[in-house]
Amino acid sequence: MTLYRISEVTLTASSTERAYQDILEELCKATAFPIAAILRFDPERDRLVVTAAWGLPTDVARVEMQVHDSLAGVAVRTGQPVAEFNAGARREMANDLLHDLGIQTYLAFPMVVSQEVAGTLIFAHTQAMEPDRRLVRWAESLANGVAQFIDRVTAHEELKESEQGYRRLAEELQQANLELERFAYSVSHDLRAPLRTMQGFAHALIQNFGDRLPGKARDYAQRIIASGQMSEILIRDLLAYSRLSFEDLELQPVALTKVVEAACEQLEGDLKETNTDLAVEGDLPQVLGQTTPLVQVLANLISNAIKFVPVGRRPRIRIRAEENDRWVRLWVQDNGIGIPTGQEDRIFRVFERLTEGGARPGTGIGLAIVRRGMERMSGRAGVEAVKGGEGSAFWLDIPRVEGASKGAWRRKKS
Ligand code: ADP
């Protein structure tokens, strides 16, 4: 009956302390001992610590005693129950807490978990009395049950503590990251003004004094302007990337046809200049996202598809959508130079480029914007090689809109 009550108590108690108290109360009721306590063994310090007590003054909690000069310690050392019916007379146990409380009858049962003594379960009485043997045997097995419960609770508490620790650490890291991004954002932002001044003066130098400058000096001024422009692009991309991290993005239904239209409009000059053959296959559905970052993400993919083609090849881009019950997958397939196997993840990181400068200038931030933008819109992005052909097929998984209609895409004629 008591074992049943104890398991009930351990399941329903509001806290571990409460559970210990309830267990001890139940045990006292069942054994008619007025005092019971759980002492945990700390092997590193060779001490016993009062973890919970029933029928004793509250200041007993957390009292510690040496294993070697306490009666309870005998149970820990030997792994056997200790029964003392005239404890007050034992002078060598004078340090024992229960001795000070005028205890006469004293039973200490080792609490064994995984063959190790984890502590002792104690029953005590201020009167001398001889408990019956059945009770002693029963209490002995009960002590192990309590030990197992404590073991479980401790493991659970440790797990909870480490979980809380990890969560705290993740939050702190996230906060630190955000602060770092804000810092990067404001530094990038503030770099713009001196950069523009520099470019402005280089322009003025050429305009106002160009005819008086030797050819080499004019060339230097031109280089200042070109480097300034490159820095401006880099800062623009960095700002776009970090803005994506802390901007609030409220997701709403967006028609993918409009997104494709806007991205093509943005890149109109490049598309014309490279005579790119761009087409959308099939209808495009609505998605849950935000127009501006979606256009930015798609424009980056199209711009790369135009840029990374072998010299002399006409860029060909095919856009199509696939749907499953959770996502709309938007494919942007090109006929370009392709991504070497094993590099598919690397190219989505900031400043990672597989080709250096030359005919294909860039900052290495475009695909990082793609990935971050998608993550911020609860989506994801990736790339696959084109099966049995040349080029790459980039994909965006975007949350779908329930019951949304589809729209046919028409390229605006200009
Ligand atoms: P950027 O275009 O400024 O170099 P991105 O982050 O957009 O930076 O792309 C990173 C790298 O991934 C590129 O430098 C290129 O090596 C590779 N890459 C991106 N898109 C393509 C593509 N469509 N085909 C082949 N390689 C690509």
Side-chain angles (χ1 to χ4, degrees), residues 24-37 54-55 84-85 103-109 122-132 135-136 138-139:
L24 293 177
E25 185 184 358
E26 281 298 316
L27 291 177
C28 284
K29 264 195 231 155
T31 56
F33 270 86
I35 298 167
W54 182 259
E84 188 60 56
F85 306 114
I103 300 299
Q104 292 301 324
T105 306
Y106 185 103
L107 298 173
F109 297 94
I122 285 169
F123 294 97
H125 209 304
T126 46
Q127 289 166 20
M129 59 185 274
E130 183 102 20
D132 74 62
L135 179 79
V136 172
W138 175 80

Side-chain angles (χ1 to χ4, degrees), residues 237 300-301 304-305 307-308 334 336-339 347-349 352-355 360-368 392 394:
D237 286 358
N300 285 2
L301 292 185
N304 280 349
K307 193 161 58 168
F308 295 103
D334 64 43
I337 56 173
I339 312 288
I347 54 170
F348 283 94
R349 289 188 223 132
E352 292 285 358
R353 307 195 73 220
L354 304 179
T355 45
R360 303 185 182 109
T363 57
I365 302 173
L367 287 181
S392 333
F394 282 83

Side-chain angles (χ1 to χ4, degrees), residues 30-310:
T31 56
F33 270 86
I35 298 167
I38 293 168
L39 274 60
R40 275 160 100 170
F41 175 46
D42 178 351
E44 270 167 36
R45 294 159 57 232
D46 200 35
R47 281 177 162 251
L48 278 162
V49 185
V50 179
T51 305
W54 182 259
L56 287 175
T58 47
D59 58 0
V60 165
R62 299 267 151 221
V63 162
E64 296 189 5
M65 57 196 82
Q66 294 284 354
V67 166
H68 67 264
D69 66 356
S70 65
L71 261 179
V74 178
V76 170
R77 281 205 313 268
T78 61
Q80 297 296 322
V82 172
E84 188 60 56
F85 306 114
N86 195 5
R90 286 182 65 146
R91 294 210 150 266
E92 74 272 28
M93 296 297 166
N95 284 341
D96 200 307
L97 167 81
L98 297 178
H99 177 274
D100 299 341
L101 295 166
I103 300 299
Q104 292 301 324
T105 306
Y106 185 103
L107 298 173
F109 297 94
M111 303 196 305
V112 181
V113 188
S114 314
Q115 293 171 348
E116 304 238 337
V117 180
T120 56
L121 176 64
I122 285 169
F123 294 97
H125 209 304
T126 46
Q127 289 166 20
M129 59 185 274
E130 183 102 20
D132 74 62
R133 293 207 167 279
R134 265 185 32 236
L135 179 79
V136 172
R137 264 204 310 273
W138 175 80
E140 208 174 338
S141 63
L142 206 68
N144 293 337
V146 173
Q148 266 152 26
F149 164 69
I150 293 176
D151 195 48
R152 265 205 322 271
V153 165
T154 314
H156 185 242
E157 274 172 356
E158 278 168 7
L159 193 72
K160 231 166 63 187
E161 249 169 51
S162 63
E163 261 174 25
Q164 277 166 354
Y166 282 134
R167 209 168 305 138
R168 250 196 323 271
L169 192 66
E171 275 165 18
E172 278 167 19
L173 278 176
Q174 213 173 1
Q175 192 53 35
N177 232 344
L178 208 66
E179 274 164 28
L180 203 65
E181 303 230 348
R182 286 220 162 94
F183 174 71
Y185 182 83
S186 65
V187 169
S188 313
H189 193 266
D190 294 350
L191 275 176
R192 274 174 151 179
L195 194 65
R196 290 212 175 118
T197 312
M198 219 169 74
Q199 279 179 291
F201 278 114
H203 270 297
L205 198 64
I206 291 177
Q207 254 167 22
N208 303 339
F209 305 99
D211 46 355
R212 274 177 276 161
L213 286 176
K216 210 163 191 176
R218 260 203 317 277
D219 177 47
Y220 287 167
Q222 291 289 9
R223 286 193 200 195
I224 293 175
I225 293 169
S227 295
Q229 277 163 349
M230 192 57 221
S231 305
E232 244 187 63
I233 294 171
L234 184 66
I235 289 172
R236 183 202 62 198
D237 286 358
L238 270 174
L239 286 175
Y241 178 70
S242 47
R243 206 182 292 124
L244 261 182
S245 314
F246 46 81
E247 220 169 37
D248 276 336
L249 296 186
E250 216 176 285
L251 305 186
Q252 40 195 234
V254 177
L256 273 181
T257 43
K258 294 259 179 296
V259 174
V260 177
E261 253 167 45
C264 288
E265 227 164 88
Q266 227 181 67
L267 294 168
E268 195 163 356
D270 292 338
L271 286 166
K272 266 197 188 144
E273 200 179 304
T274 52
N275 191 25
T276 296
D277 164 19
L278 185 148
V280 175
E281 294 173 343
D283 290 343
L284 298 179
Q286 285 199 335
V287 289
L288 213 54
Q290 216 185 54
T291 308
T292 312
L294 270 175
V295 171
Q296 190 175 21
V297 162
L298 190 66
N300 285 2
L301 292 185
I302 295 175
S303 149
N304 280 349
I306 300 172
K307 193 161 58 168
F308 295 103
V309 279

